[in-house]
Amino acid sequence: MAVLISLRAFSMSMDVKNQNLVVENLQTAASISLICGIIIFINCYIVNRYSYSMSLGYLLLLPAIFFFNKMLKDVVSIFPFIISFLIILFCGSRGPLLSLAIYMLWNILLSETDTIIKRRTKILLLIFTMGIFIFYNRIVNAFVLASNEIGIYSRTISMIEANNVMRDSGRNAIYLLNWQKIKEKPIFGWGICGELSYSNVYPHNLFIELCVDYGLILGALIIGLFVFSLLRKLISTCFSDNAIITLMCLGFIPLVFSTSYLEYPFFWVLFGFCFPFRIVV
């Protein structure tokens, strides 16, 4: 079912004329995701004392990115952005934080500045970012104390505090296993979801997963087509297209480290927006 939904998202997104309008009208989806995220956070982490959820972090990535972009025009949006960011930081994984950081840096450094308000906001964000680097240790210690006060163990903050944020968390073993399986069937691959025949987890990397599913030849062709389409779109817009950057941070960067392309509609929407060919029926 997830595959059918993803393919439908791909085919529909190919026909979108105004891509930025689609992204700008994600407020309802972002608001619902934020409300669901808050409910899950209260139920699982405040009441039942769970300490980590990768899925919760990715659920709140959409509202974090959406309200950060809206914050540049509407100051009120800073509140839902901060809520999303803090829940991701305390309870989510590193993947959503990386995606959010890339989007924020792009928005500050590379996106077009249309108004004086946006320029001033970006200057303030740049100063704020510099302050984080300058007072890094104090900020980390403050977050550790805050998490201890509310009784939540934050996996991400603990890794940052221990200067161990680059730890692979078992991914290297997963990559090695899947690479061995690719070498066993290099031509035709293991088929869609073929990794489930020898493992109970997905490969945690888009490129490896494509090679596992379709083999090295077809997998490399799909990877090449996607990378070509994405780079072509980015270069043609001088890296200033908010819709493409938003969807890249929502639908591509997470797949480099987590989840599966088969059940991630944002990836297919991004692919559809960037796809260089149009099928006319």
Side-chain angles (χ1 to χ4, degrees):
M1 182 61 69
V3 177
L4 295 177
I5 293 173
S6 297
L7 290 175
R8 183 60 177 164
F10 172 72
S11 63
M12 292 177 64
S13 61
M14 287 177 60
D15 296 325
V16 173
K17 297 292 189 295
N18 190 336
Q19 298 171 353
N20 279 292
L21 186 62
V22 174
V23 174
E24 289 170 3
N25 284 279
L26 285 174
Q27 180 163 355
T28 301
S31 300
I32 292 174
S33 297
L34 178 58
I35 293 171
C36 291
I38 292 173
I39 293 172
I40 294 171
F41 172 74
I42 293 173
N43 180 55
C44 294
Y45 298 91
I46 301 298
V47 178
N48 294 315
R49 300 297 184 183
Y50 295 153
S51 61
Y52 171 74
S53 173
M54 182 176 69
S55 58
L56 177 60
Y58 283 115
L59 172 67
L60 291 172
L61 180 58
L62 170 60
I65 287 178
F66 178 84
F67 288 112
F68 175 82
N69 184 56
K70 193 176 180 184
M71 186 177 71
L72 301 177
K73 307 170 187 176
D74 179 14
V75 180
V76 177
S77 296
I78 193 172
F79 297 108
F81 165 72
I82 289 176
I83 293 172
S84 303
F85 170 74
L86 289 177
I87 295 178
I88 292 174
L89 180 64
F90 279 111
C91 304
S93 60
R94 293 162 291 174
L97 288 176
L98 176 62
S99 300
L100 179 59
I102 291 173
Y103 181 80
M104 291 172 67
L105 286 174
W106 168 81
N107 218 310
I108 293 171
L109 300 176
L110 297 178
S111 69
E112 297 177 350
T113 52
D114 301 322
T115 64
I116 295 176
I117 295 175
K118 288 186 72 174
R119 292 192 191 101
R120 289 176 178 174
T121 303
K122 290 180 180 182
I123 290 172
L124 290 173
L125 287 171
L126 189 59
I127 294 172
F128 176 74
T129 303
M130 292 173 62
I132 291 177
F133 282 104
I134 294 171
F135 300 104
Y136 174 79
N137 290 329
R138 293 184 181 181
I139 293 172
V140 170
N141 290 334
F143 275 117
V144 171
L145 290 173
S147 63
N148 291 335
E149 283 293 325
I150 59 178
I152 294 178
Y153 168 75
S154 173
R155 176 176 176 266
T156 301
I157 293 177
S158 297
M159 294 175 73
I160 294 173
E161 183 187 23
N163 292 321
N164 201 19
V165 74
M166 299 301 293
R167 190 180 70 188
D168 66 77
S169 300
R171 280 180 172 80
N172 283 341
I174 296 174
Y175 297 157
L176 288 173
L177 171 63
N178 283 281
W179 178 241
Q180 291 297 324
K181 294 301 179 179
I182 289 172
K183 290 192 289 185
E184 290 180 15
K185 296 185 178 182
I187 305 300
F188 300 107
W190 290 77
I192 297 177
C193 296
E195 64 273 9
L196 297 180
S197 65
Y198 58 81
S199 174
N200 59 355
V201 295
Y202 44 81
H204 280 73
N205 181 277
L206 171 65
F207 305 127
I208 294 176
E209 186 175 6
L210 289 171
C211 291
V212 168
D213 289 355
Y214 307 107
L216 289 174
I217 298 174
L218 183 56
L221 288 174
I222 296 172
I223 292 168
L225 177 61
F226 172 73
V227 173
F228 166 76
S229 302
L230 179 59
L231 288 176
R232 173 179 171 272
K233 188 73 172 181
L234 290 171
I235 293 172
S236 67
T237 58
C238 299
F239 292 85
S240 62
D241 191 321
N242 181 62
I244 299 302
I245 299 296
T246 298
L247 287 170
M248 187 179 76
C249 293
L250 286 172
F252 171 56
I253 295 173
L255 292 180
V256 178
F257 305 100
S258 305
T259 194
S260 170
Y261 73 96
L262 293 170
E263 55 184 15
Y264 215 62
F266 280 126
F267 166 76
W268 294 97
V269 174
L270 172 64
F271 201 0
F273 278 8
C274 297
F275 199 67
F277 310 109
R278 290 293 177 266
I279 300 173
V280 179
V281 180

